[in-house]
Amino acid sequence: MAEAERSVQQLFDLSGKVAIVTGAAGWLGSAMSRALAEAGATMVVTSRQADQAESFAASLPGSGHIGIGFEQGDTETIPAFVETVLGRLGRIDILVNNAYGSTAPSIDSATAEDFDRAYHVGVTAYFLLAREVVNHLRQRQAPGSIINIGSMYGVVASYPDAYTGLPTNSPPNYHGLKGGLVHLTRHLAVYWAQDNVRVNAISPGPFPKPVTAQTMPEFIERLEGKSPMGRMGRPEELKGLVVLLASEAGSYINGQNILVDGGWTAW
Ligand SMILES: NC(=O)c1ccc[n+]([C@@H]2O[C@H](COP(=O)([O-])OP(=O)(O)OC[C@H]3O[C@@H](n4cnc5c(N)ncnc54)[C@H](OP(=O)(O)O)[C@@H]3O)[C@@H](O)[C@H]2O)c1
């Protein structure tokens, strides 16, 4: 007999689930964390500063959320971080690998160290944390969802003229790592599908922080001129997709890289 069809409310409901968002207090991580909390998840939010993580956790809707200080570049600390979460909340169902920070060199000045550091924080750490979460899900024999935050710059190149003459770059180490992350997402998805763990990427288009609009209005104007919708993304425009991929509403979506870019990559 066919299983009873669930309602949209049931499919998107994350009540009882525990979700980790790394770099959660940042520009996009904060909106995605609020989205998952609003859908009912108990949140584990990280920042490199424990007090920032704790105060952000306290700001989220609902109760039981925790904030933990976590520097993912120190990859040897990843097993202990996961143990801490399990010790405090007993389970992990969803991981959003979002945190990223590194150098932003130009093509002419980029060094091997720029590349190594970016890849370490933005790919190696994402993989090691995801694998640790999957090991826990296997032990529990529970389904899970891993969401890697990629970028449209893991799929398409920059327009050089958007950057010419301005004090900003589209760094080559960022393009290399995000392209690698998008492909790693597909690879993990097919291996971990047998564990009932789905792995997908969300690739934002241009979502500049307010400080960029204040300090470099010309840069924003140039980017808007390249965008089919003629405007930049707003963090809340990632909320629906992160809940879709995290929840049973997305239970047959696996190995995908979904762009939220106002049509940037559709030209
Ligand atoms: N904004 C965009 O236009 C855009 C476009 C495409 C993709 N993305 C991607 O979206 C994600 C979030 O970016 P965002 O724009 O929200 O930037 P953001 O505000 O700078 O947030 C990223 C957070 O990552 C944390 N972080 C940095 N280095 C870390 C490290 N070594 N270990 C642990 N945490 C670290 C920082 O948190 P703490 O300082 O609290 O530790 C920071 O707040 C990134 O993966 C980024 O590449 C952004």
Side-chain angles (χ1 to χ4, degrees), residues 156-174:
V156 293
S158 304
Y159 292 104
D161 61 338
Y163 297 84
T164 305
L166 295 177
T168 185
N169 289 316
S170 193
N173 52 352
Y174 188 75

Side-chain angles (χ1 to χ4, degrees), residues 37-265:
E38 286 161 7
T42 301
M43 299 302 301
V44 179
V45 292
T46 78
S47 162
R48 286 165 296 179
Q49 286 84 42
D51 55 346
Q52 171 144 308
E54 284 159 16
S55 62
F56 180 65
S59 77
L60 291 170
S63 60
H65 310 301
I66 62 173
I68 300 180
F70 177 51
E71 162 56 83
Q72 71 193 37
D74 297 338
T75 47
E76 69 282 0
T77 67
I78 287 174
F81 165 70
V82 170
E83 275 309 306
T84 300
V85 175
L86 293 176
R88 293 180 65 180
L89 295 177
R91 61 188 285 166
I92 301 167
D93 304 281
I94 297 152
L95 166 66
V96 182
N97 265 322
N98 167 74
Y100 178 71
S102 194
T103 52
S106 68
I107 285 188
D108 291 329
S109 65
T111 62
E113 200 185 350
D114 290 318
F115 272 80
D116 291 349
R117 179 73 195 160
Y119 194 88
H120 187 72
V121 172
V123 179
T124 310
Y126 281 32
F127 167 69
L128 293 173
L129 180 53
R131 188 173 64 186
E132 209 64 32
V133 169
V134 170
N135 285 339
H136 154 71
L137 289 163
R138 269 194 199 124
Q139 275 178 7
R140 248 177 70 213
Q141 297 191 319
S145 173
I146 311 283
I147 300 166
N148 292 325
I149 304 304
S151 170
M152 68 179 185
Y153 284 162
V155 177
V156 293
S158 304
Y159 292 104
D161 61 338
Y163 297 84
T164 305
L166 295 177
T168 185
N169 289 316
S170 193
N173 52 352
Y174 188 75
H175 281 255
L177 85 91
K178 289 295 186 183
L181 179 64
V182 166
H183 187 63
L184 178 66
T185 299
R186 298 185 190 104
H187 183 67
L188 300 179
V190 299
Y191 273 82
W192 290 340
Q194 60 202 319
D195 298 301
N196 207 4
V197 177
R198 295 178 295 107
V199 190
N200 292 289
I202 293 176
S203 282
F207 285 74
K209 297 176 193 176
V211 65
T212 310
Q214 282 156 17
T215 55
M216 275 191 294
E218 189 183 341
F219 180 52
I220 303 299
E221 278 166 30
R222 290 187 196 178
L223 293 180
E224 285 173 348
K226 307 285 187 191
S227 167
M229 291 181 72
R231 69 168 176 84
M232 302 293 91
R234 299 186 288 266
E236 72 165 19
E237 293 177 309
L238 297 173
K239 291 178 82 173
L241 181 56
V242 77
V243 176
L244 170 67
L245 293 179
S247 70
E248 282 293 292
S251 60
Y252 204 50
I253 304 175
N254 190 30
Q256 302 304 305
N257 175 38
I258 303 180
L259 286 127
V260 182
D261 65 359
W264 185 288
T265 52

